[in-house]
Amino acid sequence: CYLGEHGLPQDYREAARWFRRAADQGYEEAQNNLAIMYDNGLGVTKDLGEAVRWYRHAAEQGNVDATIALARLLCRGKDPEDVVEAARWLRSGAEHGSEFAMYNLALMLRGGIGVPQDHTEAARWISIAADQGFSEAAYALAKALQDGKDVPKNDGEAALWFRRAAEHGSD
């Protein structure tokens, strides 16, 4: 309510206070919202450690937005174990239907970043994300089909996927 909705004035500090109370009681949406506030310094002092902590709590309860945000922060870390953990969270997000997570997990699989390199699995996740309309995945699939990278070369299919990528907003 204190985010400027329902006729109340916007007050991030007050919103953070209420999110904290709910987050402490285990409400995953409040945990995710509190993490966002720490991540962006809204109503609280920006603290990426606290953001990671609250994103993790929410992600552990199945909040897909939190899994993706957590993976994003972990990928920025200098510790190789953070990247491994990021890949695990992206896999969780992908398995829960996030096209963004599917695509980014595929990139990690393709490059062997935080996971063993697996071109077949990478192609599978890119294909699923592309089928669900994720433009970056559609473009990546088109390029792979055009070049014969990770999938058999197929110029006709490549053209189809380039067209789909453009229809979904890819440059």
Side-chain angles (χ1 to χ4, degrees), residues 84 87 91 105 108-119 121-122:
V84 171
R91 182 173 300 280
L105 175 60
M108 292 180 88
L109 286 160
R110 183 182 276 172
I113 302 166
V115 292
Q117 192 171 44
D118 187 335
H119 293 282
E121 185 77 357

Side-chain angles (χ1 to χ4, degrees), residues 102 106 121-133 137-138 141 151 161:
M102 292 173 193
E121 185 77 357
R124 184 176 80 80
W125 283 115
I126 285 177
S127 293
I128 294 168
D131 280 338
Q132 293 184 12
L141 180 57
V151 294
W161 283 106

Side-chain angles (χ1 to χ4, degrees), residues 55-130:
Y55 281 136
R56 189 176 282 122
H57 283 308
E60 288 168 349
Q61 293 188 69
N63 186 301
V64 176
D65 292 334
T67 64
I68 293 165
L70 177 58
R72 175 183 51 83
L73 286 180
L74 290 169
C75 279
R76 291 184 190 167
K78 294 179 182 8
D79 184 349
E81 285 303 309
D82 286 348
V83 178
V84 171
E85 185 181 353
R88 282 195 310 266
W89 287 115
L90 285 175
R91 182 173 300 280
S92 174
E95 289 169 350
H96 284 92
S98 167
E99 298 92 355
F100 179 87
M102 292 173 193
Y103 175 69
N104 283 282
L105 175 60
L107 296 180
M108 292 180 88
L109 286 160
R110 183 182 276 172
I113 302 166
V115 292
Q117 192 171 44
D118 187 335
H119 293 282
T120 303
E121 185 77 357
R124 184 176 80 80
W125 283 115
I126 285 177
S127 293
I128 294 168

Side-chain angles (χ1 to χ4, degrees), residues 20-81:
R20 172 59 150 230
R21 289 180 72 177
D24 284 340
Q25 293 179 28
Y27 292 102
E28 54 90 11
E29 193 64 38
Q31 292 169 342
N32 186 58
N33 288 337
L34 184 59
I36 291 167
M37 297 188 93
Y38 277 112
D39 197 358
N40 296 290
L42 300 172
V44 294
T45 302
K46 184 172 182 155
D47 184 334
L48 297 183
E50 278 296 292
V52 165
R53 184 168 84 87
W54 287 109
Y55 281 136
R56 189 176 282 122
H57 283 308
E60 288 168 349
Q61 293 188 69
N63 186 301
V64 176
D65 292 334
T67 64
I68 293 165
L70 177 58
R72 175 183 51 83
L73 286 180
L74 290 169
C75 279
R76 291 184 190 167
K78 294 179 182 8
D79 184 349
E81 285 303 309

